[in-house]
Amino acid sequence: MKLSNVFVVYNKEFLDVIRDRRTLFSMILLPIIVFPVMTLGLGGVIAGQMEKMEHRSSPVVVLGSSNSPEIIAALRQNDGLQIIDSIHDRGVAERMLADHAIQAVLLVPDHFNLDVETSDSETSKLSIWYDKSDAESELVERKLRRSLQDFRTTVVESALLERGIPVELLMPFEISSENQASSSQMAGAVLGMLLPYMVILLTMTGSTYSAIDMTAGEKERGTMETLLVCPASRLELVLGKFLTTMTAGMITAILAVVSMSVTVFAPGSMLMSGMAGEAQIAIDPMTIVVAFILLIPVAALIAAVLIAVAINARSYKEAQSYVYPIIILVIFPALASILPGVEADVRMAFIPLVNVSLILKNAFIGIFDWHLIGLAFFSSFVYAAFAIFIAVRIFQRESVLLRI
Amino acid sequence: MITVENLSKYFSDKKRGVIKAVDDVSFQCKPGEVYGLLGPNGAGKTTTLRLLSTVLRPDSGKVSICDYDVINQSSEVRQHIGFLSGDTGLYRRLSGREILRYFAALYGLKNHQFKQRLDEIVELLEIGSYLDTKTDKLSTGQKQRISIARSVIHNPPVLILDEPTAGLDIIASKSIIDFISRARGNGKTILFSTHVMREAERLCDRIGIIHEGKIKLQGTVSEIRAQFTTDDLEHIFFKAVGMEPPAI
C-alpha cells in the first residue's frame, strides 16, 4: 500500500467535500446552530411560556360554590385563579373544560362541612377536574391544590387553637435537604447526559453526506470506473475516502462540543438558570481531553460503517435510504448517557458507542476511569478497523462497483 | 500491444441463470493500430473492455497488455492504459486542472512531470481557456475534452475506449475521432468499441464483430468486405450474426 496515494485521494475528496453546500451545512453550520437554537431559542420560548402561565389568572369553575363560602373566599385570595361561581350545571362545566374555556373545575359537595366531628367522607370531599393533556390545566390543578391545602392548614390551626392545643404539635420535627453537589457538578451532570448523545448523533450527520457522495455519488456520476482503472489499489481508495469521512465527522463533533459549551455557559441560558443559578461553572480541562480522545474512534467507526453501507447503493437516493436505519442504530446506543441507572463498566466498555456515551457522561461529572477509557478507545478502533476491512472487501466486489 | 486469448466472463443472474457475457474471445491489437469491437448493446463489448482494464476479473483465458498480465500484474496494466467511456463523468465541483492533477498524482507523476504533460495536453486538446472552470459549468464537448485529457494524462501506450462517442453531438464526437486519429499516428495501441458502423469504418484498421459474447468475424475492413461481396458494413454485420438485414 502506498500512503502517498491515500493522501492524494484524501486531499481531493476533502476539497470536493468542502465545496459541497449540503456537506458544509451538515458538517459546519448544523453543529454550530443547533445548540443555541435548542437552549437559547427553544428553551427561552418554553421558559417564557411557563412563566406567563404561572402568572396568568386562569379561569376555574366552582360547582356548588354556595356550599362553602369560606373556600370561595380562600381561593379568591390567589391571584393566579379566576374563580367563576355563576355556573351550576355539571354538563356545562365539563364542556367548558373540554373546550379549554376554563382550566379546571372544583366540585364542592352538598352539605360540605368543615367540622371534623360532624362531617363524613362524602361531605368533606373536594374534587378537582382538570385536563392532564393540557400543560396549563395541569398547572392550574397544582395552584388549586396548593390554595386548598393552605386553607386546610388554616382550618386545622384554628380548630387546635379553639381546643387549646399548641399548633407545634402538628410538626414534631422538620426535614431539610441540602444539595451537596457544586454548581459545576450539576452543570456537568446535565452536559454529561446531553453532550455524548448530541455529539455522537452530529458526528453521524456530519459524515453522512460526504460518505454517500464519495461512494454512491461517485457511481451515479460515472466517475467510479475511471478511479478503478487508475493504479491506486482498492485499499488506498477506501482509506482515502474513509479518512475524509472521518475528518468531516470529527470537525462536526468538535464544533458541536465548542458550540454547546459556549451556549450552555452563555448568560441567560435556560439550562444554567434553571439548575445552577448564577454560579461560576468550570469544566475540568481533562473532560475536554477525554472527549476528544474518544471522539476519534467514534468518528472512525461511524465513517467506516457509512462507507461500507453507502458503497452498496447505486445512487445517492438509494444510499440515503440505506443510511437512515443506521442513524437509528446509532441513536439507541448514544442514548445510553440519558438512561438512568446505566453506568460505565468493563462490560459496557466493549459495546460500541454505548461505551463512549457512558464514559463521556462520567467525565463531565469528574470521573476519569482510565482503564475504561483505554478499553473503550481500543475496542472502538477494533470495530472501526473491522468495518474498514468489510468496506475494502465490498469495494472489491465487481457487482457492487459496476451495477452488474 | 494487446493480446487476448480465449477470454471468457460469466455472470450469474437469478432469473436468467448463468450468462456468458464474454465467450472465448481472442484478438490482438498492435501499436499504431485501431481495433474496433463492433456490436449491438449487450453484445459483450463493455464487459470485454472492463476485463482488459482490470476492473473485472476474467473467469478464463489470458490477457496481456504491454506484456503485463491483467490478473497477476493488474497495477502495471493500469499504469499502461488510458480508459475512457461515453458515460465517463467528471467531478463537478473541481476544475479540469484539479481533476488532471488528481489523476496525475494517482498515476505517480511528479509535480514537474505533471506540469510538462499538462502543457502538452492543453495545447493538443485546446482546453486552456476553460481549464480552471469547475466542470459543471462546461458544455458537453468541453467536458469530453477534459475526460480525454484525464485518460491520457500519464501518456499511456494503450488506449481503451468504450463507446467514447455515445450520447455526444457531432462536434463533441469529432473531438474524440480526431483524438483517436492523432493517437494512432503517435503509435498508440487503440482498442475502441462502438455500435456505430460508420465510426468503425472510418477509424478502425481491423474490426471484430461481437454478438452474444462471441467474436463472429474479424479482419481488416477490406478483408471483411471481400468475404461478403458487399461494401455495406451494416449488411455484413447482420449476415455475420446470422440475421436478415433490414429491408430498407
Side-chain angles (χ1 to χ4, degrees):
Chain A
M1 187 185 72
K2 275 196 209 162
L3 262 184
S4 61
N5 274 350
V6 175
F7 286 104
V8 167
V9 176
Y10 176 80
N11 287 336
K12 177 261 158 190
E13 297 293 8
F14 196 70
L15 180 67
D16 214 352
V17 158
I18 57 170
R19 285 187 185 165
D20 185 356
R21 275 190 213 152
R22 288 169 305 186
T23 322
L24 277 187
F25 175 78
S26 58
M27 185 171 90
I28 292 176
L29 205 59
L30 191 68
I32 293 178
I33 60 168
V34 70
F35 294 109
V37 167
M38 254 176 59
T39 54
L40 298 176
L42 195 64
V45 168
I46 293 172
Q49 213 46 34
M50 291 290 280
E51 197 167 315
K52 230 197 280 172
M53 282 199 299
E54 196 78 50
H55 290 103
R56 188 190 296 164
S57 179
S58 312
V60 173
V61 164
V62 181
L63 289 174
S65 54
S66 56
N67 294 331
S68 177
E70 300 94 328
I71 283 181
I72 301 297
L75 291 180
R76 286 201 200 280
Q77 303 282 315
N78 189 336
D79 292 338
L81 300 171
Q82 181 200 333
I83 302 301
I84 302 165
D85 56 3
S86 52
I87 290 162
H88 305 288
D89 184 80
R90 268 179 101 115
V92 172
E94 273 172 354
R95 254 200 317 280
M96 286 173 81
L97 182 62
D99 295 343
H100 303 283
I102 54 169
Q103 304 305 330
V105 177
L106 175 68
L107 187 64
V108 185
D110 289 340
H111 316 296
F112 181 75
N113 190 351
L114 285 173
D115 187 348
V116 195
E117 281 164 17
T118 56
S119 69
D120 58 30
S121 61
E122 281 305 308
T123 56
S124 64
K125 187 178 163 195
L126 297 173
S127 311
I128 301 170
W129 303 340
Y130 72 110
D131 179 354
K132 204 172 177 176
S133 67
D134 177 358
E136 192 177 351
S137 178
E138 210 180 347
L139 188 74
V140 169
E141 188 266 349
R142 281 206 300 274
K143 283 190 205 169
L144 256 179
R145 186 176 279 275
R146 219 179 302 135
S147 285
L148 292 169
Q149 278 166 348
D150 288 348
F151 176 61
R152 184 167 61 189
T153 310
T154 327
V155 171
V156 171
E157 281 175 3
S158 58
L160 290 176
L161 275 175
E162 251 175 49
R163 288 163 177 78
I165 302 168
V167 175
E168 291 73 25
L169 207 65
L170 283 175
M171 202 95 69
F173 60 89
E174 286 209 18
I175 307 159
S176 88
S177 321
E178 225 172 89
N179 181 11
Q180 291 291 309
S182 67
S183 53
S184 150
Q185 272 175 309
M186 285 169 60
V190 172
L191 276 182
M193 269 200 325
L194 285 177
L195 196 122
Y197 168 69
M198 291 305 293
V199 166
I200 291 172
L201 196 63
L202 283 167
T203 308
M204 170 91 196
T205 55
S207 34
T208 301
Y209 278 113
S210 53
I212 295 179
D213 200 60
M214 285 184 290
T215 52
E218 189 137 10
K219 280 201 239 176
E220 193 172 0
R221 288 189 298 268
T223 50
M224 183 62 94
E225 202 166 351
T226 51
L227 199 54
L228 297 178
V229 293
C230 77
S233 71
R234 303 286 160 90
L235 177 66
E236 289 157 7
L237 296 178
V238 171
L239 282 182
K241 287 167 185 289
F242 157 75
L243 286 176
T244 312
T245 307
M246 183 175 155
T247 307
M250 289 283 299
I251 291 175
T252 313
I254 289 168
L255 287 175
V257 174
V258 171
S259 166
M260 185 163 184
S261 307
V262 170
T263 309
V264 166
F265 302 130
S269 157
M270 189 196 79
L271 255 176
M272 290 300 106
S273 56
M275 40 153 282
E278 299 302 312
Q280 291 293 310
I281 297 144
I283 285 191
D284 190 336
M286 191 54 82
T287 309
I288 306 288
V289 172
V290 170
F292 285 138
I293 288 177
L294 290 176
L295 280 176
I296 298 169
V298 165
L301 179 58
I302 289 176
V305 171
L306 283 175
I307 294 274
V309 168
I311 187 63
N312 288 286
R314 292 168 184 205
S315 66
Y316 209 97
K317 269 193 176 166
E318 193 182 334
Q320 278 179 316
S321 58
Y322 291 167
V323 164
Y324 286 133
I326 304 200
I327 296 181
I328 294 172
L329 281 182
V330 167
I331 287 177
F332 282 117
L335 273 172
S337 61
I338 296 178
L339 294 178
V342 183
E343 295 298 334
D345 56 28
V346 174
R347 203 164 37 98
M348 292 289 181
F350 286 98
I351 306 176
L353 301 179
V354 171
N355 51 14
V356 172
S357 179
L358 293 175
I359 289 168
L360 275 184
K361 176 175 139 184
N362 277 350
F364 276 95
I365 48 173
I367 301 172
F368 302 101
D369 187 332
W370 292 104
H371 177 61
L372 289 184
I373 292 169
L375 274 182
F377 185 85
F378 286 109
S379 69
S380 298
F381 257 120
V382 169
Y383 295 128
F386 181 68
I388 295 170
F389 171 75
I390 300 285
V392 174
R393 290 294 295 267
I394 295 173
F395 239 78
Q396 275 156 349
R397 280 173 53 192
E398 297 170 350
S399 56
V400 169
L401 289 174
L402 297 170
R403 313 185 189 184
I404 297 160
Chain B
M1 175 82 163
I2 302 172
T3 312
V4 179
E5 290 166 41
N6 310 105
L7 181 68
S8 294
K9 177 72 179 174
Y10 311 123
F11 295 121
S12 54
D13 185 280
K14 274 180 195 152
K15 284 179 192 159
R16 295 180 291 170
V18 174
I19 302 158
K20 291 180 178 175
V22 175
D23 190 6
D24 202 24
V25 164
S26 302
F27 61 86
Q28 218 181 39
C29 182
K30 298 188 189 91
E33 187 180 61
V34 179
Y35 185 97
L37 267 184
L38 186 64
N41 294 335
K45 303 188 296 290
T46 298
T47 306
T48 306
L49 300 195
R50 280 175 172 171
L51 289 166
L52 266 59
S53 60
T54 79
V55 176
L56 294 179
R57 226 182 134 82
D59 286 317
S60 66
K62 193 169 158 26
V63 179
S64 73
I65 289 174
C66 301
D67 295 326
Y68 293 109
D69 182 70
V70 290
I71 299 174
N72 302 319
Q73 295 164 299
S74 59
S75 181
E76 287 83 351
V77 168
R78 291 201 290 265
Q79 190 71 48
H80 287 83
I81 58 172
F83 183 88
L84 180 68
S85 74
D87 55 8
T88 297
L90 291 170
Y91 299 109
R92 57 180 196 268
R93 290 185 291 269
L94 301 188
S95 69
R97 188 189 300 275
E98 285 161 345
I99 291 172
L100 296 177
R101 187 183 293 131
Y102 177 44
F103 280 94
L106 288 176
Y107 280 104
L109 266 68
K110 300 270 177 287
N111 216 13
H112 68 275
Q113 291 171 313
F114 166 65
K115 280 183 182 151
Q116 195 185 339
R117 181 71 184 144
L118 186 68
D119 289 342
E120 289 167 23
I121 289 178
V122 166
E123 201 187 322
L124 190 75
L125 294 167
E126 298 166 350
I127 54 175
S129 61
Y130 48 84
L131 190 62
D132 290 305
T133 309
K134 286 193 188 137
T135 58
D136 66 347
K137 300 263 191 289
L138 301 181
S139 71
T140 316
Q142 290 171 330
K143 281 183 192 163
Q144 194 61 20
R145 280 168 188 254
I146 298 284
S147 281
I148 298 171
R150 198 263 315 140
S151 69
V152 294
I153 189 71
H154 54 305
N155 203 7
V158 173
L159 294 175
I160 297 178
L161 311 168
D162 185 16
E163 303 207 32
T165 56
L168 297 182
D169 62 25
I170 49 165
I171 296 172
S173 297
K174 185 181 174 298
S175 63
I176 301 272
I177 309 272
D178 291 347
F179 158 73
I180 295 176
S181 306
R182 256 197 313 263
R184 173 173 41 197
N186 292 333
K188 306 277 183 197
T189 307
I190 303 164
L191 177 61
F192 163 75
S193 82
T194 184
H195 63 270
V196 183
M197 307 293 164
R198 276 199 50 189
E199 258 179 32
E201 238 173 321
R202 274 177 54 195
L203 275 172
C204 300
D205 300 301
R206 289 195 306 127
I207 289 173
I209 292 180
I210 184 166
H211 186 57
E212 293 174 340
K214 278 184 180 297
I215 299 243
K216 301 284 184 185
L217 186 69
Q218 61 180 322
T220 63
V221 176
S222 49
E223 277 168 9
I224 287 175
R225 281 189 176 132
Q227 273 186 53
F228 283 86
T229 64
T230 170
D231 276 357
D232 188 345
L233 204 56
E234 205 169 296
H235 270 70
I236 295 174
F237 174 81
F238 281 108
K239 288 198 166 158
V241 302
M243 288 167 78
E244 274 302 305
I248 301 164

